[in-house]
Amino acid sequence: MKTGEKKDIRKLSLEELQDFFLSEGDKKFRANQVYDWLWNKSLKNFDDMTNISLSTREMLKAHFTINHVKVDLMQHSNDGTIKNAVKLYDNKIVESVLIPTSKRITACVSSQVGCSLDCNFCATARLKRMRNLNPDEIYDQVVAIKEEAEKYFQRPLTNIVFMGMGEPLLNYANVIDAIDKITAPEGLGMAPRRITLSTVGIPKIIKKMADDEVKFNLALSLHSAINRTRSRLMPINDKSPVEDLAEALKYWYQKTQRKVTYEYVIWDGINDDEEHALALAKFCKHIPSKVNIIQYNPIDEGGFRQASQEAVDMYVRILESRGIVAKVRKSRGQDIDAACGQLANKNEVAEI
């Protein structure tokens, strides 16, 4: 931090905030009031803390800032999906998405600026990873979508998925801290079972999540249970082959007793044959699981094409015949590049 630069108050824990007030000769309970404004009421300005004296508010402004994010561009899809271009305090941009359906409204949030994993089918992978998001920046994305759900749909936010830009497990500490704030009664109070973290699969951190006894759901971006194919699609598979993933997932289930969702795209000429479907079915038998077959969302004129409906039907038939739940998910927000794999800051805000 530069000399004279104010610290973001949301970097302080409640205990650190209490210590600050005591050091200023004020009462400890003031910290609880400020903390409630910051995390439960999602306040962005010290002046709006109406139950705190003017002199205390001025003291806070002299010492701290609130580096809240700003939605600089909002795009509305024909299907109701909303994509936010979110400007961070350092002017970097990430994207988040509100996904409405008849039964739920889901916030799809980002965990990193860019990504370092080079998955060949994903637009975000073409952006270099610039930095991890702070817990408050993740929390703010959720708050923005919560407010949009209430404004545009008159409905509450029901679910959160970490399926935006970046790999959540490569920003593990900040993601967990953000989820703690989102689920805490003194935060947004959302139930952990309403949150799903999606990962390409980093075995040692999947095991750490199990040891940490997290309560949210786990989804794995799989796309092939055959190493040669998965490595072609996702270079990280060279370091974390499907055998290592299977071992980590068995550990996860042993510790948490929570089933895993496998996210799976079927591409023409890549994994659209019976060999790949049977390999997936075999992989699903390691632990209780289900499969979401996701529609491919093109990111350019490249070599990836959505498989035929016959191939999708073949997968569903093979999986269901073996007692595996398989759902075919239609993508939303394609017309504004808001669907899975399309988040790449292709907007005027990012270009500026």
Side-chain angles (χ1 to χ4, degrees):
M1 185 184 297
K2 298 175 184 176
T3 304
E5 187 176 336
K6 295 179 184 179
K7 184 172 185 175
D8 185 349
I9 193 169
R10 291 189 296 177
K11 290 189 181 299
L12 272 61
S13 66
L14 176 59
E15 292 73 21
E16 289 170 331
L17 202 53
Q18 290 170 341
D19 290 342
F20 169 77
F21 273 97
L22 291 173
S23 71
E24 292 292 318
D26 210 328
K27 294 181 172 58
K28 188 176 178 180
F29 78 88
R30 291 283 178 222
N32 300 62
Q33 292 177 310
V34 171
Y35 197 83
D36 181 67
W37 282 114
L38 294 172
W39 296 112
N40 182 260
K41 298 184 175 68
S42 311
L43 209 70
K44 301 172 183 176
N45 194 316
F46 292 117
D47 289 327
D48 295 331
M49 296 181 178
T50 52
N51 64 346
I52 295 172
S53 69
L54 179 59
S55 61
T56 300
R57 280 180 267 162
E58 292 300 321
M59 181 266 291
L60 288 171
K61 285 193 281 185
H63 285 86
F64 302 108
T65 186
I66 304 173
N67 288 331
H68 62 88
V69 307
K70 298 172 184 173
V71 176
D72 259 25
L73 180 68
M74 187 187 302
Q75 295 173 272
H76 292 257
S77 168
N78 294 328
D79 63 21
T81 300
I82 297 174
K83 182 170 76 167
N84 294 326
V86 177
K87 183 172 282 190
L88 310 175
Y89 74 94
D90 57 1
N91 292 323
K92 291 181 171 60
I93 300 288
V94 295
E95 292 181 336
S96 60
V97 184
L98 180 158
I99 307 165
T101 65
S102 59
K103 295 183 179 179
R104 63 182 65 181
I105 290 186
T106 300
C108 175
V109 299
S110 295
S111 55
Q112 295 179 307
V113 184
C115 189
S116 60
L117 292 180
D118 299 323
C119 296
N120 293 317
F121 52 86
C122 180
T124 308
R126 300 183 179 185
L127 306 174
K128 67 176 182 179
R129 190 190 73 80
M130 302 180 75
R131 70 172 176 86
N132 289 331
L133 292 186
N134 298 323
D136 53 276
E137 293 171 325
I138 297 169
Y139 164 93
D140 280 352
Q141 291 176 73
V142 174
V143 170
I145 292 176
K146 175 178 177 289
E147 292 171 352
E148 290 165 7
E150 293 162 358
K151 177 178 179 180
Y152 294 106
F153 298 92
Q154 294 77 51
R155 290 163 54 195
L157 176 66
T158 60
N159 295 77
I160 301 169
V161 294
F162 282 80
M163 297 183 186
M165 301 168 72
E167 166 52 56
L169 296 192
L170 294 180
N171 186 20
Y172 182 72
N174 287 349
V175 166
I176 294 299
D177 194 357
I179 292 174
D180 287 344
K181 294 290 193 300
I182 291 164
T183 57
E186 62 272 20
L188 297 182
M190 288 197 69
R193 61 186 172 81
R194 297 283 187 176
I195 299 174
T196 299
L197 183 149
S198 175
T199 175
V200 301
I202 302 171
K204 66 178 182 180
I205 308 183
I206 291 174
K207 291 178 179 178
K208 176 170 174 51
M209 280 198 298
D211 289 334
D212 289 345
E213 299 180 348
V214 301
K215 303 301 181 187
F216 51 78
N217 302 306
L218 177 63
L220 180 73
S221 186
L222 186 60
H223 310 305
S224 179
I226 297 175
N227 279 320
R228 69 174 188 276
T229 304
R230 194 167 191 268
S231 290
R232 172 185 171 187
L233 297 166
M234 310 167 74
I236 193 174
N237 192 73
D238 289 336
K239 295 180 180 177
S240 303
V242 294
E243 295 82 6
D244 292 354
L245 283 179
E247 180 194 356
L249 292 168
K250 288 175 185 176
Y251 186 84
W252 161 271
Y253 187 76
Q254 174 192 339
K255 298 281 281 191
T256 68
Q257 295 298 295
R258 298 185 73 84
K259 69 168 58 176
V260 172
T261 298
Y262 298 126
E263 296 158 345
Y264 202 97
V265 178
I266 309 171
W267 287 281
D268 180 42
I270 294 176
N271 61 348
D272 61 343
D273 54 40
E274 192 170 286
E275 178 192 10
H276 283 86
L278 290 170
L280 173 60
K282 183 179 178 181
F283 191 87
C284 288
K285 291 299 184 179
H286 289 304
I287 62 169
S289 59
K290 64 178 181 177
V291 176
N292 279 345
I293 297 175
I294 303 169
Q295 179 181 344
Y296 176 58
N297 305 298
I299 58 175
D300 56 20
E301 299 301 320
F304 291 94
R305 297 181 304 276
Q306 171 71 34
S308 67
Q309 186 61 48
E310 289 76 15
V312 174
D313 292 343
M314 177 267 294
Y315 260 86
V316 172
R317 184 173 63 253
I318 285 176
L319 293 170
E320 289 184 344
S321 70
R322 288 156 176 79
I324 300 159
V325 175
K327 302 287 186 183
V328 179
R329 302 291 189 188
K330 183 179 179 182
S331 290
R332 300 175 65 90
Q334 285 180 307
D335 57 321
I336 55 171
D337 291 325
C340 279
Q342 290 186 318
L343 300 185
N345 288 339
K346 291 194 293 185
N347 53 61
E348 293 176 6
V349 171
E351 289 167 5
I352 293 170

